[in-house]
Amino acid sequence: MANEKFPLVYKGRPLRRKDNLIYYGSMADKYIIMMQVMATKKVKDLDVASKVIVQLQLTDPDLKSRDRVVKKSEKDSLYAAMDVASVWLERALSNK
């Protein structure tokens, strides 16, 4: 379990998890990534994500949740979802 003094970071950006939702990026930025684990499968004793929805979202609190979504994709593993998420977020934030 990550200590608050040392939060979980991936490629220099914060990573937070709440149940089946994973947020990647900072709410202080214009964009953030939301990943939702929709299905898992058993590999030995571990539950491994087998269907993940990735969304690039605006962080503007004045927008409705469906209007915040800029891009959306479905991936078959958490690794593939994180790969797409890091590219999308990097590109979106570099186009400020």
Side-chain angles (χ1 to χ4, degrees), residues 36-84:
Q36 185 174 13
V37 177
M38 301 300 290
T40 60
K41 63 181 178 183
K42 280 280 191 193
V43 176
K44 296 188 180 179
D45 291 337
L46 287 173
D47 285 329
V48 177
S50 59
K51 181 179 175 185
V52 182
I53 293 178
V54 183
Q55 294 181 350
L56 175 66
Q57 297 182 347
L58 290 164
T59 56
D60 185 355
D62 298 330
L63 293 174
K64 294 179 184 176
S65 59
R66 70 170 180 249
D67 294 337
R68 290 183 193 162
V69 178
V70 178
K71 285 185 179 182
K72 185 176 181 179
S73 180
E74 184 178 308
K75 298 297 172 191
D76 58 1
S77 71
L78 188 57
Y79 177 81
M82 288 299 301
D83 196 32
V84 166

Side-chain angles (χ1 to χ4, degrees), residues 7-49:
L8 193 56
V9 175
Y10 179 71
K11 293 190 177 182
R13 302 197 189 280
L15 196 60
R16 298 279 188 254
R17 178 178 175 230
K18 175 71 174 140
D19 299 324
N20 66 335
L21 294 176
I22 302 169
Y23 292 95
Y24 177 52
S26 171
M27 288 301 287
D29 293 333
K30 186 176 179 180
Y31 296 96
I32 194 167
I33 294 285
M34 185 192 80
M35 292 174 277
Q36 185 174 13
V37 177
M38 301 300 290
T40 60
K41 63 181 178 183
K42 280 280 191 193
V43 176
K44 296 188 180 179
D45 291 337
L46 287 173
D47 285 329
V48 177

